[in-house]
Amino acid sequence: MKATNVTWHHGELAPDARERLLGHRPACLWLTGLSGSGKSTLARRIERKLVERSVNAYVLDGDNVRHGLNGDLGFSPEERVENVRRVGEVARLFVDAGTLVLAAFISPYAADRARVRALFEPDTFVEVHLSTPIEACEARDPKGLYQRARAGEIPSFTGISAPYEAPKSPEIRVDTSAAALDECAEEVIAWLVEHKVIPAPQ
Amino acid sequence: MKATNVTWHHGELAPDARERLLGHRPACLWLTGLSGSGKSTLARRIERKLVERSVNAYVLDGDNVRHGLNGDLGFSPEERVENVRRVGEVARLFVDAGTLVLAAFISPYAADRARVRALFEPDTFVEVHLSTPIEACEARDPKGLYQRARAGEIPSFTGISAPYEAPKSPEIRVDTSAAALDECAEEVIAWLVEHKVIPAPQ
């Protein structure tokens, strides 16, 4: 797949200027999984741990994107596609700016995720599949969405009345119902150290 | 004006965690002006000088936005509005991430710029008006656009066949035809130091 961002104008900066400034490589961690699987919670925990380690990490999720940039989009199949497309493009801008960006979106369609992956250099895109079983997600149901979906009040609810196409070979797979949140976060961080995205702790 | 971003979820981070990590306050510098007025060139020069001073600066301009995030938008009045709206929302995300973001877009309509300003806390939005006279912009004409606009080949060209509503009270006003590029960049940087957005040089 072609990484189209290599043709971008990088202004007057040396290619490694940002990496030297920030002390780590940029990357996009794309967290995909069912509603209630723990995407945003895990992303926020990883973000805190990374910022504490002086890594410039930042979470994009429904909270800061759905109400702003994508406030004009609903939940139809076409709007879900556009939602994921825009988030992918914004994540690419953050990576261009040197950030370790964590994008936490259901992103149920494999084709949409593949299009996002194609925006990045191979070693800057990390797909994290939240494989928490639907039974666990539904038992949590923090926003009462599964209950409403079962009652037929939410059309096209992922996992109930709309498909979730699980990633076949994500870089990382995490089940937040099988391990504590901190353990899950440390697992992802260990992967980033192992793959030399961020430095090992001093 | 209400800064709507104060209601955002900031995850598990202390409010000043990013500022401590990065060593400066976040801000959005919004560069507005005619085609050829020097917006992108000035933004890239400021970006380089700031990164050299260890400030995490990043430029959003037509180059990295029009071909990606806003690749679905043309130049009709409605699409220009949506272009500026999305850039404003992305700039807000960058400010939320602690970045000193420089947005360089013609953004000809005062109402659109006011909507963008309203997304930010008052002390994080800095409007920079590139007041380079149209004669100087047209004499430069780096992309041959004025020539084509005069020939009637580009409908609604800002300054020729579409309005440019100059800011009445921008925080900074710069004419890149009246001073050298470095001087213009230093003027903006001096403003940032004076207003305690970034630290004075050591």
Side-chain angles (χ1 to χ4, degrees), chain B residues 138-179:
Chain B
E138 190 162 0
R140 289 175 184 170
D141 205 10
K143 301 173 193 161
L145 296 173
Y146 283 93
Q147 200 173 12
R148 291 179 51 207
R150 292 285 183 198
E153 293 170 24
I154 306 178
S156 334
F157 189 80
T158 300
I160 304 290
S161 47
Y164 176 74
E165 299 171 5
K168 288 199 172 63
S169 48
E171 276 76 8
I172 305 174
R173 189 168 272 137
V174 183
D175 175 353
T176 61
S177 70

Side-chain angles (χ1 to χ4, degrees), chain A residues 8 11 13 26 29-30 38 40 44 50 53 57 78 88 123 129 132 148 150 157 167 178 183:
Chain A
W8 284 9
L13 288 176
L29 266 67
W30 190 273
S40 276
R44 299 279 176 185
L50 289 178
R53 288 169 70 149
E78 298 72 27
D123 63 349
H129 175 210
T132 315
R148 291 179 52 208
R150 292 284 183 198
F157 189 80
E183 281 176 60

